[in-house]
Amino acid sequence: MLKKLFQSFRSPLRRLPLQRRAPEILTSRQHSLHRDDISRNAVNVVQRLQQAGYQAYVVGGCVRDLLLDLDPKDFDVATSATPEQVRAEFRNARVIGRRFKLVHVHFGREIIEVATFRANHPEDDDEEDANPLASRNESGRILRDNVYGTLEDDAQRRDFTINALYYDPASERILDHTHGVHDIRNRLIRLIGDPEQRYQEDPVRMLRAVRFAAKLDFEIEKHSAEPIRRLAPLLKEIPSARLFDEVIKLFLGGQAERTFELLLEYDLFAPLFPASALALERNPEYAGQLIRQALANTDDRIYAGKPVTPAFLFAALLWPALPARVLELQDRGMPPIPAMQEAAHDIIWQQCQRTAIPKRFSIPMREIWDMQERLPRRHGRRADQLIESPRFRAGYDFLLLRESAGEQTGGLGDWWTDYQEADEAGRRAMIRGLSSSKDDPAARKRRRGGRRRRSGGDSDAAAD
Ligand code: ATP
Ligand code: MG
Protein backbone atom coordinates (compact mmCIF):
# COMPACT_ATOMS: atom_id res chain seq x y z
CA MET A 1 0.00 0.00 0.00
CA LEU A 2 2.76 2.42 1.08
CA LYS A 3 4.81 1.39 -1.93
CA LYS A 4 1.88 2.23 -4.15
CA LEU A 5 1.55 5.66 -2.55
CA PHE A 6 5.24 6.37 -3.13
CA GLN A 7 5.03 5.17 -6.67
CA SER A 8 2.27 7.61 -7.36
CA PHE A 9 4.45 10.45 -5.99
CA ARG A 10 7.45 9.29 -7.96
CA SER A 11 5.79 9.24 -11.32
CA PRO A 12 2.73 11.42 -11.13
CA LEU A 13 2.61 11.98 -14.87
CA ARG A 14 2.52 8.32 -15.77
CA ARG A 15 -0.32 7.68 -13.40
CA LEU A 16 -2.62 10.43 -14.55
CA PRO A 17 -5.74 8.81 -15.96
CA LEU A 18 -6.23 9.34 -19.66
CA GLN A 19 -8.69 12.05 -20.47
CA ARG A 20 -11.91 10.38 -21.45
CA ARG A 21 -14.37 11.99 -23.73
CA ALA A 22 -17.15 10.96 -26.04
CA PRO A 23 -15.97 10.00 -29.51
CA GLU A 24 -16.45 12.24 -32.46
CA ILE A 25 -19.06 10.60 -34.67
CA LEU A 26 -18.89 11.03 -38.41
CA THR A 27 -22.06 10.17 -40.25
CA SER A 28 -22.01 8.68 -43.75
CA ARG A 29 -22.31 12.17 -45.22
CA GLN A 30 -19.22 13.37 -43.37
CA HIS A 31 -16.76 10.80 -44.68
CA SER A 32 -15.89 9.09 -47.93
CA LEU A 33 -16.09 5.49 -46.78
CA HIS A 34 -18.84 3.30 -48.20
CA ARG A 35 -20.10 -0.06 -47.01
CA ASP A 36 -19.41 -1.57 -50.45
CA ASP A 37 -15.70 -0.75 -50.05
CA ILE A 38 -15.49 -3.19 -47.16
CA SER A 39 -14.89 -6.88 -47.74
CA ARG A 40 -18.24 -8.72 -47.80
CA ASN A 41 -16.87 -11.22 -45.31
CA ALA A 42 -15.83 -8.53 -42.83
CA VAL A 43 -19.30 -6.95 -43.04
CA ASN A 44 -20.86 -10.37 -42.46
CA VAL A 45 -18.69 -11.00 -39.39
CA VAL A 46 -19.66 -7.62 -37.92
CA GLN A 47 -23.36 -8.18 -38.63
CA ARG A 48 -23.34 -11.64 -37.12
CA LEU A 49 -21.66 -10.41 -33.93
CA GLN A 50 -24.05 -7.46 -33.68
CA GLN A 51 -27.05 -9.78 -34.13
CA ALA A 52 -25.69 -11.93 -31.31
CA GLY A 53 -25.82 -8.85 -29.07
CA TYR A 54 -22.15 -7.81 -29.15
CA GLN A 55 -20.64 -4.54 -30.25
CA ALA A 56 -18.57 -4.96 -33.42
CA TYR A 57 -16.79 -2.64 -35.83
CA VAL A 58 -14.44 -2.73 -38.76
CA VAL A 59 -11.27 -1.11 -37.46
CA GLY A 60 -7.64 -0.21 -37.98
CA GLY A 61 -5.62 -0.10 -41.16
CA CYS A 62 -8.50 -0.81 -43.51
CA VAL A 63 -10.55 2.19 -42.34
CA ARG A 64 -7.44 4.38 -42.55
CA ASP A 65 -6.52 3.13 -46.02
CA LEU A 66 -10.04 3.48 -47.41
CA LEU A 67 -10.26 7.06 -46.17
CA LEU A 68 -7.03 7.68 -48.08
CA ASP A 69 -8.37 5.95 -51.19
CA LEU A 70 -5.86 3.11 -50.85
CA ASP A 71 -6.52 -0.61 -51.17
CA PRO A 72 -6.57 -2.18 -47.69
CA LYS A 73 -4.28 -5.17 -47.22
CA ASP A 74 -6.77 -6.92 -44.98
CA PHE A 75 -9.83 -6.25 -42.84
CA ASP A 76 -9.80 -6.31 -39.07
CA VAL A 77 -12.79 -6.43 -36.76
CA ALA A 78 -12.96 -5.31 -33.11
CA THR A 79 -15.69 -6.58 -30.83
CA SER A 80 -16.91 -6.73 -27.25
CA ALA A 81 -17.17 -10.54 -27.57
CA THR A 82 -14.34 -12.56 -26.02
CA PRO A 83 -12.33 -14.84 -28.32
CA GLU A 84 -14.28 -17.85 -27.05
CA GLN A 85 -17.59 -16.07 -27.67
CA VAL A 86 -16.46 -15.15 -31.19
CA ARG A 87 -15.43 -18.70 -31.90
CA ALA A 88 -18.82 -19.94 -30.75
CA GLU A 89 -20.51 -17.76 -33.40
CA PHE A 90 -18.55 -19.09 -36.39
CA ARG A 91 -17.88 -22.60 -37.57
CA ASN A 92 -14.84 -21.46 -39.55
CA ALA A 93 -13.06 -19.69 -36.65
CA ARG A 94 -9.81 -20.41 -34.82
CA VAL A 95 -8.38 -18.78 -31.72
CA ILE A 96 -4.71 -17.89 -32.27
CA GLY A 97 -1.91 -16.16 -30.37
CA ARG A 98 -0.81 -16.15 -26.79
CA ARG A 99 0.77 -12.74 -26.24
CA PHE A 100 -2.27 -11.31 -27.96
CA LYS A 101 -5.23 -13.66 -28.35
CA LEU A 102 -7.25 -13.25 -31.56
CA VAL A 103 -9.78 -15.12 -33.63
CA HIS A 104 -9.23 -15.83 -37.31
CA VAL A 105 -12.46 -16.36 -39.20
CA HIS A 106 -11.68 -18.16 -42.47
CA PHE A 107 -13.59 -17.59 -45.71
CA GLY A 108 -11.73 -19.54 -48.36
CA ARG A 109 -8.48 -17.63 -48.80
CA GLU A 110 -9.64 -14.56 -46.91
CA ILE A 111 -9.09 -14.37 -43.17
CA ILE A 112 -10.95 -11.81 -41.08
CA GLU A 113 -9.05 -11.07 -37.90
CA VAL A 114 -11.35 -10.47 -34.94
CA ALA A 115 -9.88 -8.90 -31.80
CA THR A 116 -11.66 -8.38 -28.50
CA PHE A 117 -11.70 -4.80 -27.14
CA ARG A 118 -8.67 -4.45 -24.92
CA ALA A 119 -7.73 -2.03 -22.18
CA ASN A 120 -4.41 -0.33 -21.64
CA HIS A 121 -2.22 -2.07 -19.15
CA PRO A 122 -2.39 -1.71 -15.42
CA GLU A 123 1.00 -0.20 -14.56
CA ASP A 124 1.33 -1.67 -11.16
CA ASP A 125 3.96 -4.36 -11.30
CA ASP A 126 3.03 -5.92 -7.93
CA GLU A 127 -0.39 -6.76 -9.18
CA GLU A 128 0.84 -7.92 -12.54
CA ASP A 129 3.21 -10.56 -11.32
CA ALA A 130 0.29 -12.78 -10.62
CA ASN A 131 -1.81 -11.68 -13.55
CA PRO A 132 -2.06 -14.34 -16.24
CA LEU A 133 -3.64 -11.89 -18.69
CA ALA A 134 -1.19 -9.01 -18.65
CA SER A 135 2.49 -8.67 -17.97
CA ARG A 136 5.43 -6.34 -18.55
CA ASN A 137 9.17 -6.75 -18.16
CA GLU A 138 11.46 -4.39 -16.19
CA SER A 139 11.68 -1.83 -18.98
CA GLY A 140 7.92 -1.62 -19.29
CA ARG A 141 7.64 -3.83 -22.34
CA ILE A 142 4.31 -5.59 -22.60
CA LEU A 143 4.74 -9.34 -22.66
CA ARG A 144 1.11 -10.36 -22.51
CA ASP A 145 -1.83 -8.25 -23.55
CA ASN A 146 -5.13 -9.93 -22.89
CA VAL A 147 -6.89 -7.49 -20.56
CA TYR A 148 -10.26 -6.89 -22.11
CA GLY A 149 -12.05 -3.58 -21.92
CA THR A 150 -14.56 -1.23 -23.49
CA LEU A 151 -14.59 0.27 -26.96
CA GLU A 152 -13.14 3.47 -25.50
CA ASP A 153 -10.33 1.49 -23.80
CA ASP A 154 -9.67 -0.27 -27.07
CA ALA A 155 -9.26 3.00 -28.94
CA GLN A 156 -6.78 4.28 -26.34
CA ARG A 157 -4.59 1.16 -26.41
CA ARG A 158 -4.07 1.24 -30.17
CA ASP A 159 -0.81 2.60 -31.53
CA PHE A 160 -1.56 5.62 -33.73
CA THR A 161 -4.57 7.91 -33.95
CA ILE A 162 -4.98 7.09 -37.63
CA ASN A 163 -5.28 3.38 -36.71
CA ALA A 164 -7.97 3.90 -34.07
CA LEU A 165 -11.00 4.59 -36.23
CA TYR A 166 -14.05 2.34 -35.90
CA TYR A 167 -16.51 1.91 -38.74
CA ASP A 168 -19.96 0.48 -38.27
CA PRO A 169 -21.21 -0.92 -41.59
CA ALA A 170 -24.81 -0.96 -40.30
CA SER A 171 -25.07 2.79 -39.60
CA GLU A 172 -22.11 3.70 -41.85
CA ARG A 173 -20.77 5.88 -39.05
CA ILE A 174 -17.14 6.29 -38.02
CA LEU A 175 -16.28 6.60 -34.32
CA ASP A 176 -13.17 8.66 -33.67
CA HIS A 177 -11.88 8.77 -30.07
CA THR A 178 -8.42 10.15 -30.80
CA HIS A 179 -8.74 12.79 -33.54
CA GLY A 180 -7.62 10.21 -36.05
CA VAL A 181 -9.60 11.77 -38.89
CA HIS A 182 -7.95 15.12 -38.20
CA ASP A 183 -4.50 13.46 -38.36
CA ILE A 184 -5.38 11.66 -41.59
CA ARG A 185 -6.35 15.00 -43.10
CA ASN A 186 -3.08 16.53 -41.92
CA ARG A 187 -1.09 13.46 -42.92
CA LEU A 188 0.37 12.89 -39.46
CA ILE A 189 1.50 9.75 -37.65
CA ARG A 190 0.74 10.48 -33.99
CA LEU A 191 1.03 8.02 -31.12
CA ILE A 192 -1.92 7.83 -28.78
CA GLY A 193 -0.89 8.76 -25.21
CA ASP A 194 2.63 9.48 -23.96
CA PRO A 195 5.00 8.59 -26.83
CA GLU A 196 7.93 7.55 -24.67
CA GLN A 197 5.79 5.22 -22.58
CA ARG A 198 4.04 3.77 -25.61
CA TYR A 199 7.39 2.98 -27.29
CA GLN A 200 8.68 1.43 -24.10
CA GLU A 201 5.59 -0.77 -23.89
CA ASP A 202 6.23 -1.98 -27.39
CA PRO A 203 9.38 -0.80 -29.20
CA VAL A 204 8.06 -2.27 -32.46
CA ARG A 205 5.78 0.79 -32.58
CA MET A 206 8.87 2.78 -33.63
CA LEU A 207 9.18 0.56 -36.70
CA ARG A 208 5.47 0.85 -37.34
CA ALA A 209 5.69 4.66 -37.21
CA VAL A 210 8.36 4.59 -39.89
CA ARG A 211 6.51 2.01 -41.94
CA PHE A 212 3.29 3.99 -42.03
CA ALA A 213 5.16 7.26 -42.66
CA ALA A 214 6.76 5.66 -45.73
CA LYS A 215 3.70 3.79 -46.91
CA LEU A 216 1.29 6.70 -46.59
CA ASP A 217 3.81 9.48 -47.23
CA PHE A 218 2.87 10.99 -43.85
CA GLU A 219 5.05 12.84 -41.41
CA ILE A 220 5.76 11.53 -37.93
CA GLU A 221 4.34 14.19 -35.60
CA LYS A 222 7.13 15.89 -33.67
CA HIS A 223 6.37 14.55 -30.17
CA SER A 224 5.97 11.05 -31.59
CA ALA A 225 9.26 11.40 -33.50
CA GLU A 226 11.31 12.91 -30.68
CA PRO A 227 11.99 9.83 -28.49
CA ILE A 228 12.69 7.41 -31.35
CA ARG A 229 16.46 7.89 -31.74
CA ARG A 230 16.93 7.64 -28.00
CA LEU A 231 14.80 4.51 -27.65
CA ALA A 232 15.88 2.73 -30.85
CA PRO A 233 18.23 0.37 -28.92
CA LEU A 234 15.15 -1.10 -27.17
CA LEU A 235 14.54 -3.04 -30.37
CA LYS A 236 17.33 -5.37 -29.28
CA GLU A 237 14.96 -6.80 -26.66
CA ILE A 238 12.33 -7.84 -29.16
CA PRO A 239 12.15 -11.55 -29.98
CA SER A 240 13.96 -12.18 -33.25
CA ALA A 241 11.01 -13.95 -34.91
CA ARG A 242 8.78 -10.90 -34.43
CA LEU A 243 11.49 -8.63 -35.82
CA PHE A 244 11.79 -10.81 -38.90
CA ASP A 245 8.07 -10.35 -39.55
CA GLU A 246 8.42 -6.60 -39.12
CA VAL A 247 11.42 -6.42 -41.42
CA ILE A 248 9.42 -8.20 -44.11
CA LYS A 249 6.61 -5.65 -43.71
CA LEU A 250 9.13 -2.81 -43.82
CA PHE A 251 10.89 -3.92 -46.98
CA LEU A 252 8.26 -5.85 -48.92
CA GLY A 253 5.48 -3.29 -48.65
CA GLY A 254 6.31 -1.45 -51.87
CA GLN A 255 8.07 1.51 -50.22
CA ALA A 256 11.33 -0.12 -49.22
CA GLU A 257 13.59 2.66 -50.44
CA ARG A 258 11.78 5.40 -48.55
CA THR A 259 11.46 3.15 -45.51
CA PHE A 260 15.22 2.55 -45.52
CA GLU A 261 15.96 6.29 -45.51
CA LEU A 262 13.61 6.77 -42.56
CA LEU A 263 15.13 3.84 -40.68
CA LEU A 264 18.54 5.46 -41.10
CA GLU A 265 17.22 8.88 -40.14
CA TYR A 266 15.76 7.51 -36.90
CA ASP A 267 18.73 5.23 -36.04
CA LEU A 268 16.49 2.19 -36.39
CA PHE A 269 18.51 0.40 -39.06
CA ALA A 270 21.51 -0.45 -36.86
CA PRO A 271 19.58 -2.39 -34.20
CA LEU A 272 17.95 -4.44 -36.98
CA PHE A 273 21.03 -5.02 -39.16
CA PRO A 274 24.13 -4.32 -37.06
CA ALA A 275 26.65 -5.78 -39.52
CA SER A 276 25.13 -3.94 -42.50
CA ALA A 277 25.04 -0.69 -40.53
CA LEU A 278 28.75 -1.07 -39.82
CA ALA A 279 29.45 -1.72 -43.50
CA LEU A 280 27.46 1.40 -44.35
CA GLU A 281 29.59 3.39 -41.95
CA ARG A 282 32.86 2.03 -43.32
CA ASN A 283 31.98 2.18 -46.98
CA PRO A 284 28.91 4.37 -47.35
CA GLU A 285 29.09 4.78 -51.09
CA TYR A 286 29.33 1.14 -52.09
CA ALA A 287 27.12 -0.35 -49.35
CA GLY A 288 24.57 2.44 -49.67
CA GLN A 289 24.38 2.08 -53.42
CA LEU A 290 24.00 -1.70 -53.30
CA ILE A 291 21.30 -1.68 -50.62
CA ARG A 292 19.38 1.24 -52.14
CA GLN A 293 19.47 -0.33 -55.59
CA ALA A 294 18.23 -3.66 -54.21
CA LEU A 295 15.38 -1.91 -52.43
CA ALA A 296 14.49 0.17 -55.50
CA ASN A 297 14.39 -3.04 -57.58
CA THR A 298 12.19 -4.66 -54.94
CA ASP A 299 9.76 -1.72 -55.04
CA ASP A 300 9.69 -1.85 -58.85
CA ARG A 301 8.95 -5.56 -58.86
CA ILE A 302 6.13 -5.15 -56.35
CA TYR A 303 4.71 -2.29 -58.38
CA ALA A 304 4.84 -4.48 -61.51
CA GLY A 305 3.13 -7.35 -59.67
CA LYS A 306 6.24 -9.57 -59.89
CA PRO A 307 7.17 -11.93 -57.07
CA VAL A 308 9.79 -10.89 -54.52
CA THR A 309 11.62 -13.10 -52.06
CA PRO A 310 13.01 -12.27 -48.65
CA ALA A 311 16.01 -14.44 -49.60
CA PHE A 312 17.18 -11.95 -52.23
CA LEU A 313 16.44 -9.03 -49.93
CA PHE A 314 18.50 -10.43 -47.05
CA ALA A 315 21.25 -11.47 -49.46
CA ALA A 316 21.51 -7.84 -50.58
CA LEU A 317 21.18 -6.24 -47.15
CA LEU A 318 23.98 -8.38 -45.72
CA TRP A 319 26.33 -8.68 -48.72
CA PRO A 320 28.21 -5.44 -47.94
CA ALA A 321 29.08 -6.87 -44.51
CA LEU A 322 30.92 -9.85 -46.03
CA PRO A 323 34.24 -8.37 -47.24
CA ALA A 324 35.33 -7.12 -43.80
CA ARG A 325 34.65 -10.51 -42.23
CA VAL A 326 36.40 -12.36 -45.09
CA LEU A 327 39.49 -10.18 -44.65
CA GLU A 328 39.49 -10.78 -40.92
CA LEU A 329 39.51 -14.53 -41.49
CA GLN A 330 42.14 -14.32 -44.22
CA ASP A 331 44.33 -12.27 -41.90
CA ARG A 332 44.15 -15.22 -39.54
CA GLY A 333 45.55 -17.41 -42.31
CA MET A 334 42.40 -18.89 -43.80
CA PRO A 335 42.49 -19.33 -47.62
CA PRO A 336 40.08 -17.12 -49.60
CA ILE A 337 37.33 -19.59 -50.45
CA PRO A 338 36.94 -21.19 -47.02
CA ALA A 339 37.15 -17.66 -45.57
CA MET A 340 34.24 -16.64 -47.77
CA GLN A 341 32.20 -19.68 -46.70
CA GLU A 342 32.94 -19.11 -43.04
CA ALA A 343 32.21 -15.39 -43.26
CA ALA A 344 28.86 -16.06 -44.95
CA HIS A 345 27.97 -18.51 -42.22
CA ASP A 346 29.00 -16.07 -39.42
CA ILE A 347 27.12 -13.12 -40.86
CA ILE A 348 23.91 -15.09 -41.32
CA TRP A 349 24.21 -16.58 -37.85
CA GLN A 350 24.72 -13.14 -36.28
CA GLN A 351 21.81 -11.69 -38.21
CA CYS A 352 19.57 -14.52 -37.03
CA GLN A 353 20.17 -13.36 -33.44
CA ARG A 354 18.39 -10.12 -34.41
CA THR A 355 15.90 -11.16 -37.04
CA ALA A 356 15.43 -14.90 -37.14
CA ILE A 357 15.69 -15.81 -40.83
CA PRO A 358 13.65 -18.95 -41.44
CA LYS A 359 15.59 -21.73 -43.18
CA ARG A 360 13.35 -21.54 -46.25
CA PHE A 361 14.90 -18.10 -46.84
CA SER A 362 18.39 -18.45 -45.36
CA ILE A 363 19.19 -21.49 -47.53
CA PRO A 364 18.35 -19.84 -50.88
CA MET A 365 20.02 -16.67 -49.62
CA ARG A 366 23.21 -18.62 -49.07
CA GLU A 367 22.82 -20.18 -52.52
CA ILE A 368 22.59 -16.72 -54.09
CA TRP A 369 25.87 -15.84 -52.40
CA ASP A 370 27.51 -19.14 -53.41
CA MET A 371 26.40 -18.49 -56.94
CA GLN A 372 28.56 -15.34 -56.94
CA GLU A 373 31.63 -17.53 -56.65
CA ARG A 374 30.40 -19.91 -59.29
CA LEU A 375 29.38 -17.40 -61.95
CA PRO A 376 32.97 -16.58 -62.94
CA ARG A 377 33.70 -20.31 -63.47
CA ARG A 378 32.23 -20.96 -66.83
CA HIS A 379 34.61 -23.40 -68.47
CA GLY A 380 33.64 -26.71 -70.10
CA ARG A 381 30.05 -27.57 -69.23
CA ARG A 382 29.94 -25.42 -66.12
CA ALA A 383 28.11 -22.52 -67.71
CA ASP A 384 25.38 -24.86 -68.94
CA GLN A 385 25.11 -26.55 -65.56
CA LEU A 386 24.85 -23.18 -63.84
CA ILE A 387 22.19 -21.88 -66.15
CA GLU A 388 20.09 -24.97 -65.37
CA SER A 389 20.35 -24.36 -61.64
CA PRO A 390 17.11 -23.19 -60.04
CA ARG A 391 19.07 -20.41 -58.33
CA PHE A 392 20.71 -19.13 -61.53
CA ARG A 393 18.29 -16.29 -62.19
CA ALA A 394 18.55 -14.90 -58.65
CA GLY A 395 22.33 -15.32 -58.72
CA TYR A 396 22.59 -13.52 -62.05
CA ASP A 397 20.31 -10.69 -60.89
CA PHE A 398 22.46 -10.39 -57.80
CA LEU A 399 25.60 -10.15 -59.94
CA LEU A 400 24.04 -7.27 -61.87
CA LEU A 401 23.15 -5.63 -58.58
CA ARG A 402 26.77 -5.86 -57.40
CA GLU A 403 27.96 -4.36 -60.66
CA SER A 404 25.47 -1.53 -60.38
CA ALA A 405 27.02 -0.70 -57.01
CA GLY A 406 30.42 -0.40 -58.68
CA GLU A 407 31.91 -3.85 -58.06
CA GLN A 408 34.44 -4.71 -60.76
CA THR A 409 33.70 -8.11 -62.27
CA GLY A 410 35.40 -7.78 -65.64
CA GLY A 411 32.15 -7.62 -67.59
CA LEU A 412 30.81 -10.83 -66.11
CA GLY A 413 27.22 -9.59 -66.04
CA ASP A 414 27.28 -8.72 -69.76
CA TRP A 415 28.86 -12.07 -70.54
CA TRP A 416 26.01 -13.90 -68.81
CA THR A 417 23.42 -11.68 -70.45
CA ASP A 418 24.86 -12.56 -73.86
CA TYR A 419 25.18 -16.22 -72.98
CA GLN A 420 21.52 -16.50 -72.09
CA GLU A 421 20.54 -14.93 -75.38
CA ALA A 422 22.99 -16.91 -77.54
CA ASP A 423 22.05 -20.05 -79.49
CA GLU A 424 23.90 -23.31 -79.01
CA ALA A 425 26.67 -22.48 -81.50
CA GLY A 426 27.05 -19.01 -80.02
CA ARG A 427 27.37 -20.45 -76.54
CA ARG A 428 30.09 -22.89 -77.60
CA ALA A 429 31.97 -20.02 -79.19
CA MET A 430 31.68 -17.98 -76.01
CA ILE A 431 33.07 -20.84 -73.95
CA ARG A 432 35.93 -21.34 -76.42
CA GLY A 433 36.57 -17.63 -76.17
CA LEU A 434 37.11 -18.07 -72.46
CA SER A 435 40.02 -20.51 -72.93
CA SER A 436 42.04 -17.78 -74.49
CA SER A 437 40.90 -15.10 -72.11
CA LYS A 438 41.99 -14.66 -68.54
CA ASP A 439 38.42 -14.37 -67.33
CA ASP A 440 37.76 -17.83 -66.09
CA PRO A 441 39.50 -18.69 -62.82
CA ALA A 442 39.01 -22.41 -63.47
CA ALA A 443 40.75 -22.14 -66.81
CA ARG A 444 43.50 -20.11 -65.20
CA LYS A 445 44.02 -22.82 -62.63
CA ARG A 446 44.27 -25.44 -65.37
CA ARG A 447 46.77 -23.31 -67.25
CA ARG A 448 48.88 -23.17 -64.11
CA GLY A 449 48.91 -26.95 -64.34
CA GLY A 450 47.29 -27.53 -60.97
CA ARG A 451 44.80 -30.40 -61.04
CA ARG A 452 41.75 -29.40 -59.08
CA ARG A 453 41.12 -31.54 -56.05
CA ARG A 454 37.55 -32.06 -54.88
CA SER A 455 38.53 -30.83 -51.46
CA GLY A 456 40.57 -27.99 -52.87
CA GLY A 457 38.08 -25.32 -51.84
CA ASP A 458 36.50 -24.89 -55.24
CA SER A 459 33.12 -23.36 -54.70
CA ASP A 460 31.39 -26.14 -56.66
CA ALA A 461 32.47 -28.57 -54.00
CA ALA A 462 32.34 -26.17 -51.10
CA ALA A 463 28.79 -24.98 -51.66
CA ASP A 464 26.66 -26.30 -48.86
P1 ATP B 1 -1.43 -2.79 -42.37
O1 ATP B 1 -2.30 -4.02 -42.19
O2 ATP B 1 -1.76 -1.96 -43.53
O3 ATP B 1 0.00 -3.07 -42.22
P2 ATP B 1 -2.67 -2.05 -39.91
O4 ATP B 1 -2.84 -0.70 -39.25
O5 ATP B 1 -3.92 -2.79 -40.23
O6 ATP B 1 -1.77 -1.82 -41.14
P3 ATP B 1 -2.00 -4.34 -38.36
O7 ATP B 1 -0.65 -4.81 -37.96
O8 ATP B 1 -2.83 -5.17 -39.27
O9 ATP B 1 -1.79 -2.89 -38.95
O10 ATP B 1 -2.78 -4.08 -37.01
C1 ATP B 1 -4.18 -3.80 -36.97
C2 ATP B 1 -4.47 -2.73 -35.94
O11 ATP B 1 -4.08 -3.18 -34.64
C3 ATP B 1 -3.70 -1.43 -36.14
O12 ATP B 1 -4.35 -0.57 -37.03
C4 ATP B 1 -3.65 -0.87 -34.73
O13 ATP B 1 -4.84 -0.24 -34.41
C5 ATP B 1 -3.52 -2.12 -33.88
N1 ATP B 1 -2.11 -2.45 -33.59
C6 ATP B 1 -1.30 -3.27 -34.31
N2 ATP B 1 -0.08 -3.36 -33.76
C7 ATP B 1 -0.11 -2.61 -32.65
C8 ATP B 1 0.84 -2.31 -31.63
N3 ATP B 1 2.08 -2.82 -31.67
N4 ATP B 1 0.45 -1.50 -30.62
C9 ATP B 1 -0.81 -1.00 -30.56
N5 ATP B 1 -1.72 -1.23 -31.49
C10 ATP B 1 -1.41 -2.03 -32.52
MG1 MG C 1 -4.14 -4.74 -41.01
Side-chain angles (χ1 to χ4, degrees), residues 62-80:
C62 56
V63 179
R64 174 199 72 213
D65 289 350
L66 287 171
L67 287 173
L68 288 163
D69 239 355
L70 300 171
D71 257 347
K73 216 171 60 193
D74 44 35
F75 290 86
D76 299 319
V77 167
T79 179
S80 58

Side-chain angles (χ1 to χ4, degrees), residues 60-61 64-65 73-74 76 157-159 163 198 202 205 208 211-212 215 242 249:
R64 174 199 72 213
D65 289 350
K73 216 171 60 193
D74 44 35
D76 299 319
R157 68 89 192 164
R158 285 179 185 268
D159 47 6
N163 286 347
R198 300 303 310 280
D202 183 2
R205 288 172 185 150
R208 289 175 61 86
R211 175 156 71 85
F212 294 128
K215 166 179 162 158
R242 186 168 177 220
K249 290 187 203 164

Side-chain angles (χ1 to χ4, degrees), residues 147-162:
V147 179
Y148 301 132
T150 63
L151 166 63
E152 160 92 57
D153 294 331
D154 194 66
Q156 299 295 346
R157 68 89 192 164
R158 285 179 185 268
D159 47 6
F160 306 107
T161 61
I162 59 168

Side-chain angles (χ1 to χ4, degrees), residues 9-253:
F9 280 126
R10 266 210 318 258
S11 54
L13 272 179
R14 290 186 68 200
R15 302 186 68 83
L16 270 183
L18 283 164
Q19 280 180 358
R20 303 268 151 167
R21 54 177 196 91
E24 206 170 310
I25 297 174
L26 287 91
T27 64
S28 62
R29 290 219 304 274
Q30 294 169 297
H31 63 75
S32 57
L33 221 155
H34 194 269
R35 190 185 304 139
D36 298 341
D37 302 334
I38 309 279
S39 133
R40 201 56 244 150
N41 295 322
V43 173
N44 286 344
V45 168
V46 168
Q47 272 173 352
R48 178 84 161 270
L49 289 166
Q50 289 178 341
Q51 278 158 12
Y54 303 110
Q55 288 171 272
Y57 297 88
V58 175
V59 68
C62 56
V63 179
R64 174 199 72 213
D65 289 350
L66 287 171
L67 287 173
L68 288 163
D69 239 355
L70 300 171
D71 257 347
K73 216 171 60 193
D74 44 35
F75 290 86
D76 299 319
V77 167
T79 179
S80 58
T82 63
E84 286 68 27
Q85 287 168 331
V86 174
R87 188 178 47 190
E89 289 299 320
F90 301 94
R91 263 187 309 124
N92 44 346
R94 279 184 52 203
V95 178
I96 61 147
R98 229 158 51 95
R99 196 184 75 88
F100 194 101
K101 239 193 224 183
L102 293 168
V103 182
H104 277 177
V105 188
H106 293 255
F107 298 91
R109 290 184 61 189
E110 189 181 18
I111 295 175
I112 304 296
E113 200 164 275
V114 185
T116 303
F117 294 154
R118 279 168 169 75
N120 257 316
H121 267 243
E123 282 176 27
D124 200 319
D125 289 334
D126 310 357
E127 283 169 15
E128 276 184 25
D129 284 346
N131 190 340
L133 302 176
S135 82
R136 289 165 188 269
N137 72 357
E138 330 65 72
S139 61
R141 182 157 68 85
I142 293 177
L143 302 175
R144 246 188 327 276
D145 191 5
N146 289 311
V147 179
Y148 301 132
T150 63
L151 166 63
E152 160 92 57
D153 294 331
D154 194 66
Q156 299 295 346
R157 68 89 192 164
R158 285 179 185 268
D159 47 6
F160 306 107
T161 61
I162 59 168
N163 286 347
L165 297 170
Y166 295 73
Y167 177 71
D168 174 15
S171 65
E172 298 204 85
R173 295 189 312 179
I174 290 178
L175 307 189
D176 180 2
H177 287 82
T178 60
H179 296 305
V181 172
H182 169 272
D183 285 340
I184 285 186
R185 288 199 183 113
N186 291 290
R187 309 186 78 80
L188 284 177
I189 310 285
R190 188 197 307 270
L191 266 181
I192 298 167
D194 173 47
E196 178 140 359
Q197 184 187 335
R198 300 303 310 280
Y199 290 136
Q200 270 163 355
E201 278 174 3
D202 183 2
V204 169
R205 288 172 185 150
M206 296 185 276
L207 298 178
R208 289 175 61 86
V210 159
R211 175 156 71 85
F212 294 128
K215 166 179 162 158
L216 307 172
D217 198 12
F218 277 27
E219 202 150 309
I220 305 176
E221 178 274 333
K222 95 170 179 291
H223 297 98
S224 300
E226 185 277 323
I228 298 184
R229 277 182 205 91
R230 199 165 7 98
L231 300 181
L234 289 180
L235 283 175
K236 292 180 198 160
E237 293 178 23
I238 303 296
S240 56
R242 186 168 177 220
L243 281 188
F244 174 79
D245 292 344
E246 286 304 321
V247 165
I248 294 304
K249 290 187 203 164
L250 285 166
F251 291 132
L252 296 184

Side-chain angles (χ1 to χ4, degrees), residues 418-439:
D418 294 342
Y419 193 78
Q420 289 172 81
E421 285 163 7
D423 59 14
E424 188 51 35
R427 287 184 176 189
R428 298 282 63 81
M430 286 179 76
I431 300 294
R432 276 196 305 278
L434 284 176
S435 314
S436 54
S437 85
K438 296 179 185 64
D439 292 342

